């Protein structure tokens, strides 16, 4: 996940479709219970059979992120409260030249049709030198409208 | 606690001060991490050495309330994120005639000077028959401005 980027060096792209012969992805569901005006967010996520509740600080605070594991019963009970503030997607790992990997998220349900791809680099110079293959599409690095919270609350740009 | 009342039959009052000879109260601190537009709230609370994170549905949903125990380290980390959305109070149990009890909350810090008192009744008829002693002051039953969430987010009315 890329939001907020922290010390990771990443670039984000908007592919029109998955490349051919990509393996089936891992399903991820995430819903926001509440987001405060200062950006503090509380979300729940289910991925690979594991459910968590995470509290993250907004940009106004020193970075805080606390993740609590929750059981299936709690996840189901709380999921009801995230209606209208959800994203569902499957994540596909696509190998690129130079040992790099694109994490391609294919959104479903309300965001059906949206794809994003993130490439993480070992250094700033590697990031600058990266020549994206055509299928990655237009670049959206730093565009806050493609952050999970924004997609969940406001939909696709 | 009275918000939301659920099936409890309660009346709320606004005492000007505690009656004489009331024992020391129990300290309670509560802060809101985030509240959604639909009223879904996520709060943390510390009381009697025990800390919890609670998610509660707002009025638009079927009632959901999930409480997760959190340790001191997590409480302290999350407390930072509740700045400007907190209440601190001490609760005093004051015996009344007829075997009833007033739970008197004496607010501190930003709400210093505010007192609220709640009396719970075994039946609607007992509630209607109740003749409040003078010290309980004006009645505020059903006044949403005195709910914890409102006091934490918007201050005293």
């Amino acid at each position: 996940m890329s939001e907020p980027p922290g010390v990771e060096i990443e670039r984000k792209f908007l592919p029109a479709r998955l490349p051919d012969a990509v393996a089936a992805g891992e399903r991820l569901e995430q819903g926001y219970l509440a987001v405060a005006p200062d950006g503090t967010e509380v979300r729940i996520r289910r991925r690979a059979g594991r459910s968590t509740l995470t509290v993250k600080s907004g940009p106004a605070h020193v970075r805080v992120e606390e993740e609590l594991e929750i059981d299936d019963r709690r996840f189901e009970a709380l999921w009801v409260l995230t209606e209208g503030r959800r994203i569902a997607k499957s994540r596909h790992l696509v190998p690129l030249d130079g040992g790099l990997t694109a994490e391609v998220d294919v959104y479903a349900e309300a965001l059906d049709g949206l794809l994003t791809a993130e490439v993480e680099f070992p250094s700033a110079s590697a990031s600058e030198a990266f020549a994206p293959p055509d299928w990655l599409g237009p670049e959206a690095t730093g565009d806050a409208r493609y952050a999970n919270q924004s997609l969940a609350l406001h939909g696709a740009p």
Side-chain angles (χ1 to χ4, degrees), chain A residues 9-11 13 19 92-104 117-133 135-136:
Chain A
I9 302 166
E10 289 183 335
R11 293 172 66 179
F13 300 90
H92 305 261
L93 301 181
V94 181
L96 302 174
D97 290 345
L100 297 169
T101 301
E103 288 188 347
V104 185
E118 288 172 356
V119 185
E120 189 175 345
F121 300 94
S123 67
S125 58
S127 170
E128 286 157 21
F130 178 62
W135 71 265
L136 277 177

Short mmCIF file of all heavy atoms in Angstrom, two decimals, chain A residues 9-11 13 19 92-104 117-133 135-136:
data_model
loop_
_atom_site.label_atom_id
_atom_site.label_comp_id
_atom_site.label_asym_id
_atom_site.label_seq_id
_atom_site.Cartn_x
_atom_site.Cartn_y
_atom_site.Cartn_z
N ILE A 9 9.96 4.97 -1.90
CA ILE A 9 10.09 5.71 -3.16
C ILE A 9 9.26 4.96 -4.19
O ILE A 9 9.60 3.85 -4.60
CB ILE A 9 11.55 5.81 -3.60
CG1 ILE A 9 12.37 6.50 -2.50
CG2 ILE A 9 11.66 6.55 -4.93
CD1 ILE A 9 13.86 6.36 -2.67
N GLU A 10 8.14 5.56 -4.56
CA GLU A 10 7.18 4.87 -5.42
C GLU A 10 6.70 5.79 -6.53
O GLU A 10 6.67 7.01 -6.38
CB GLU A 10 5.94 4.45 -4.61
CG GLU A 10 6.20 3.32 -3.64
CD GLU A 10 4.93 2.90 -2.92
OE1 GLU A 10 4.00 3.72 -2.80
OE2 GLU A 10 4.88 1.74 -2.49
N ARG A 11 6.30 5.18 -7.62
CA ARG A 11 5.58 5.91 -8.67
C ARG A 11 4.28 5.18 -8.97
O ARG A 11 4.20 3.96 -8.86
CB ARG A 11 6.44 6.05 -9.93
CG ARG A 11 7.66 6.95 -9.70
CD ARG A 11 8.63 6.96 -10.88
NE ARG A 11 8.05 7.55 -12.09
CZ ARG A 11 8.73 7.67 -13.25
NH1 ARG A 11 9.98 7.24 -13.34
NH2 ARG A 11 8.15 8.21 -14.30
N PHE A 13 0.83 4.64 -11.50
CA PHE A 13 0.36 4.74 -12.89
C PHE A 13 -1.08 4.29 -12.98
O PHE A 13 -1.62 3.70 -12.04
CB PHE A 13 1.25 3.89 -13.81
CG PHE A 13 2.69 4.32 -13.78
CD1 PHE A 13 3.58 3.75 -12.87
CD2 PHE A 13 3.16 5.29 -14.65
CE1 PHE A 13 4.91 4.17 -12.82
CE2 PHE A 13 4.49 5.70 -14.62
CZ PHE A 13 5.36 5.13 -13.70
N PRO A 19 -1.81 -6.60 -18.14
CA PRO A 19 -1.12 -7.28 -19.22
C PRO A 19 -1.64 -8.72 -19.34
O PRO A 19 -2.26 -9.25 -18.40
CB PRO A 19 0.34 -7.29 -18.78
CG PRO A 19 0.43 -6.39 -17.61
CD PRO A 19 -0.93 -6.21 -17.05
N HIS A 92 -2.47 -7.72 -8.18
CA HIS A 92 -1.68 -8.60 -9.04
C HIS A 92 -0.24 -8.10 -9.06
O HIS A 92 -0.01 -6.90 -9.26
CB HIS A 92 -2.24 -8.57 -10.47
CG HIS A 92 -3.70 -8.91 -10.54
ND1 HIS A 92 -4.17 -10.15 -10.88
CD2 HIS A 92 -4.79 -8.15 -10.28
CE1 HIS A 92 -5.49 -10.15 -10.84
NE2 HIS A 92 -5.90 -8.94 -10.48
N LEU A 93 0.71 -9.01 -8.90
CA LEU A 93 2.11 -8.63 -8.95
C LEU A 93 2.65 -8.95 -10.34
O LEU A 93 2.65 -10.10 -10.78
CB LEU A 93 2.90 -9.40 -7.88
CG LEU A 93 2.41 -9.17 -6.44
CD1 LEU A 93 3.25 -9.95 -5.45
CD2 LEU A 93 2.41 -7.68 -6.09
N VAL A 94 3.08 -7.92 -11.05
CA VAL A 94 3.54 -8.06 -12.43
C VAL A 94 5.03 -7.74 -12.50
O VAL A 94 5.43 -6.60 -12.21
CB VAL A 94 2.75 -7.11 -13.37
CG1 VAL A 94 3.21 -7.28 -14.81
CG2 VAL A 94 1.25 -7.35 -13.24
N PRO A 95 5.87 -8.72 -12.91
CA PRO A 95 7.31 -8.47 -13.00
C PRO A 95 7.64 -7.46 -14.11
O PRO A 95 7.04 -7.51 -15.19
CB PRO A 95 7.89 -9.85 -13.35
CG PRO A 95 6.80 -10.83 -13.11
CD PRO A 95 5.52 -10.10 -13.28
N LEU A 96 8.58 -6.58 -13.83
CA LEU A 96 9.05 -5.60 -14.81
C LEU A 96 10.54 -5.84 -15.06
O LEU A 96 11.19 -6.58 -14.32
CB LEU A 96 8.85 -4.17 -14.28
CG LEU A 96 7.43 -3.75 -13.91
CD1 LEU A 96 7.44 -2.37 -13.27
CD2 LEU A 96 6.54 -3.75 -15.15
N ASP A 97 11.08 -5.18 -16.08
CA ASP A 97 12.52 -5.27 -16.32
C ASP A 97 13.31 -4.74 -15.11
O ASP A 97 12.81 -3.91 -14.36
CB ASP A 97 12.89 -4.44 -17.56
CG ASP A 97 12.37 -5.08 -18.84
OD1 ASP A 97 11.98 -6.27 -18.78
OD2 ASP A 97 12.33 -4.39 -19.87
N GLY A 98 14.52 -5.23 -14.99
CA GLY A 98 15.42 -4.71 -13.95
C GLY A 98 15.08 -5.19 -12.56
O GLY A 98 15.46 -4.55 -11.58
N GLY A 99 14.32 -6.28 -12.46
CA GLY A 99 14.01 -6.82 -11.13
C GLY A 99 12.93 -6.05 -10.40
O GLY A 99 12.69 -6.29 -9.22
N LEU A 100 12.26 -5.13 -11.07
CA LEU A 100 11.19 -4.35 -10.43
C LEU A 100 9.85 -5.09 -10.54
O LEU A 100 9.70 -6.01 -11.35
CB LEU A 100 11.08 -2.98 -11.08
CG LEU A 100 12.32 -2.09 -10.94
CD1 LEU A 100 12.20 -0.86 -11.84
CD2 LEU A 100 12.52 -1.67 -9.47
N THR A 101 8.90 -4.69 -9.72
CA THR A 101 7.57 -5.31 -9.72
C THR A 101 6.50 -4.22 -9.71
O THR A 101 6.62 -3.26 -8.94
CB THR A 101 7.38 -6.19 -8.47
OG1 THR A 101 8.39 -7.21 -8.47
CG2 THR A 101 6.00 -6.85 -8.44
N ALA A 102 5.50 -4.37 -10.54
CA ALA A 102 4.34 -3.48 -10.47
C ALA A 102 3.25 -4.17 -9.66
O ALA A 102 2.90 -5.32 -9.93
CB ALA A 102 3.83 -3.16 -11.87
N GLU A 103 2.77 -3.49 -8.62
CA GLU A 103 1.59 -3.97 -7.89
C GLU A 103 0.37 -3.36 -8.56
O GLU A 103 0.12 -2.15 -8.43
CB GLU A 103 1.62 -3.50 -6.44
CG GLU A 103 2.65 -4.19 -5.58
CD GLU A 103 2.48 -3.80 -4.11
OE1 GLU A 103 1.76 -2.83 -3.80
OE2 GLU A 103 3.08 -4.48 -3.26
N VAL A 104 -0.38 -4.17 -9.27
CA VAL A 104 -1.52 -3.64 -10.02
C VAL A 104 -2.81 -3.97 -9.27
O VAL A 104 -3.11 -5.14 -8.99
CB VAL A 104 -1.59 -4.23 -11.44
CG1 VAL A 104 -2.72 -3.58 -12.23
CG2 VAL A 104 -0.25 -4.04 -12.16
N ALA A 117 -1.44 1.12 -10.64
CA ALA A 117 -0.24 0.30 -10.53
C ALA A 117 0.82 1.10 -9.78
O ALA A 117 0.99 2.31 -10.03
CB ALA A 117 0.27 -0.06 -11.92
N GLU A 118 1.49 0.43 -8.85
CA GLU A 118 2.55 1.10 -8.11
C GLU A 118 3.85 0.33 -8.30
O GLU A 118 3.87 -0.89 -8.24
CB GLU A 118 2.21 1.17 -6.62
CG GLU A 118 1.10 2.16 -6.35
CD GLU A 118 0.62 2.11 -4.92
OE1 GLU A 118 1.09 1.23 -4.17
OE2 GLU A 118 -0.24 2.93 -4.57
N VAL A 119 4.90 1.09 -8.50
CA VAL A 119 6.23 0.50 -8.64
C VAL A 119 7.11 1.11 -7.55
O VAL A 119 7.18 2.34 -7.43
CB VAL A 119 6.84 0.78 -10.03
CG1 VAL A 119 8.18 0.06 -10.18
CG2 VAL A 119 5.87 0.38 -11.13
N GLU A 120 7.72 0.27 -6.75
CA GLU A 120 8.59 0.75 -5.68
C GLU A 120 10.05 0.61 -6.12
O GLU A 120 10.42 -0.38 -6.74
CB GLU A 120 8.35 -0.05 -4.40
CG GLU A 120 9.05 0.55 -3.20
CD GLU A 120 8.70 -0.18 -1.89
OE1 GLU A 120 7.70 -0.94 -1.88
OE2 GLU A 120 9.42 0.01 -0.91
N PHE A 121 10.85 1.63 -5.76
CA PHE A 121 12.25 1.66 -6.20
C PHE A 121 13.19 1.64 -5.00
O PHE A 121 12.85 2.15 -3.93
CB PHE A 121 12.50 2.93 -7.03
CG PHE A 121 11.62 3.00 -8.24
CD1 PHE A 121 10.41 3.70 -8.19
CD2 PHE A 121 11.97 2.35 -9.41
CE1 PHE A 121 9.58 3.75 -9.30
CE2 PHE A 121 11.13 2.40 -10.52
CZ PHE A 121 9.94 3.10 -10.47
N PRO A 122 14.40 1.08 -5.23
CA PRO A 122 15.37 1.02 -4.13
C PRO A 122 16.04 2.36 -3.86
O PRO A 122 16.64 2.54 -2.80
CB PRO A 122 16.40 -0.01 -4.62
CG PRO A 122 16.29 0.01 -6.11
CD PRO A 122 14.86 0.37 -6.42
N SER A 123 15.94 3.30 -4.79
CA SER A 123 16.61 4.60 -4.60
C SER A 123 15.92 5.65 -5.47
O SER A 123 15.19 5.32 -6.42
CB SER A 123 18.08 4.50 -5.03
OG SER A 123 18.15 4.28 -6.45
N ALA A 124 16.18 6.92 -5.15
CA ALA A 124 15.61 8.01 -5.95
C ALA A 124 16.15 7.96 -7.37
O ALA A 124 15.42 8.23 -8.34
CB ALA A 124 15.93 9.35 -5.30
N SER A 125 17.41 7.60 -7.52
CA SER A 125 17.99 7.57 -8.88
C SER A 125 17.35 6.47 -9.72
O SER A 125 17.10 6.65 -10.92
CB SER A 125 19.51 7.42 -8.84
OG SER A 125 19.87 6.24 -8.14
N ALA A 126 17.06 5.32 -9.10
CA ALA A 126 16.38 4.25 -9.82
C ALA A 126 14.99 4.69 -10.25
O ALA A 126 14.51 4.37 -11.35
CB ALA A 126 16.30 2.99 -8.95
N SER A 127 14.33 5.47 -9.38
CA SER A 127 12.99 5.97 -9.70
C SER A 127 13.05 6.92 -10.89
O SER A 127 12.22 6.85 -11.81
CB SER A 127 12.42 6.68 -8.47
OG SER A 127 11.23 7.37 -8.79
N GLU A 128 14.05 7.80 -10.88
CA GLU A 128 14.17 8.77 -11.97
C GLU A 128 14.53 8.10 -13.29
O GLU A 128 14.10 8.54 -14.36
CB GLU A 128 15.22 9.83 -11.61
CG GLU A 128 14.72 10.80 -10.55
CD GLU A 128 15.85 11.47 -9.77
OE1 GLU A 128 16.99 11.52 -10.29
OE2 GLU A 128 15.58 11.92 -8.63
N ALA A 129 15.31 7.02 -13.21
CA ALA A 129 15.80 6.35 -14.43
C ALA A 129 14.74 5.43 -15.04
O ALA A 129 14.90 4.96 -16.17
CB ALA A 129 17.06 5.55 -14.11
N PHE A 130 13.67 5.17 -14.29
CA PHE A 130 12.68 4.19 -14.73
C PHE A 130 11.95 4.65 -15.99
O PHE A 130 11.39 5.74 -16.04
CB PHE A 130 11.67 3.95 -13.60
CG PHE A 130 10.57 2.99 -13.94
CD1 PHE A 130 10.85 1.66 -14.26
CD2 PHE A 130 9.24 3.41 -13.93
CE1 PHE A 130 9.82 0.77 -14.56
CE2 PHE A 130 8.21 2.52 -14.22
CZ PHE A 130 8.51 1.20 -14.54
N ALA A 131 11.98 3.78 -17.02
CA ALA A 131 11.24 4.06 -18.26
C ALA A 131 10.01 3.15 -18.27
O ALA A 131 10.11 1.96 -18.56
CB ALA A 131 12.12 3.78 -19.47
N PRO A 132 8.83 3.68 -17.91
CA PRO A 132 7.66 2.81 -17.77
C PRO A 132 7.23 2.18 -19.09
O PRO A 132 7.19 2.88 -20.11
CB PRO A 132 6.58 3.76 -17.24
CG PRO A 132 7.06 5.13 -17.52
CD PRO A 132 8.55 5.08 -17.59
N PRO A 133 6.94 0.89 -19.12
CA PRO A 133 6.39 0.28 -20.33
C PRO A 133 5.02 0.90 -20.65
O PRO A 133 4.33 1.39 -19.77
CB PRO A 133 6.25 -1.20 -19.95
CG PRO A 133 6.24 -1.23 -18.46
CD PRO A 133 7.04 -0.05 -17.99
N TRP A 135 2.13 -0.22 -21.26
CA TRP A 135 0.88 -0.70 -20.66
C TRP A 135 0.59 -0.04 -19.31
O TRP A 135 -0.56 -0.05 -18.86
CB TRP A 135 0.88 -2.23 -20.53
CG TRP A 135 1.83 -2.79 -19.48
CD1 TRP A 135 3.10 -3.24 -19.69
CD2 TRP A 135 1.57 -2.97 -18.08
NE1 TRP A 135 3.66 -3.67 -18.51
CE2 TRP A 135 2.74 -3.52 -17.50
CE3 TRP A 135 0.46 -2.70 -17.26
CZ2 TRP A 135 2.83 -3.83 -16.13
CZ3 TRP A 135 0.56 -3.00 -15.90
CH2 TRP A 135 1.73 -3.56 -15.36
N LEU A 136 1.61 0.52 -18.65
CA LEU A 136 1.36 1.16 -17.35
C LEU A 136 0.49 2.41 -17.48
O LEU A 136 -0.15 2.82 -16.51
CB LEU A 136 2.68 1.51 -16.65
CG LEU A 136 3.35 0.38 -15.88
CD1 LEU A 136 4.69 0.85 -15.30
CD2 LEU A 136 2.46 -0.15 -14.74
#
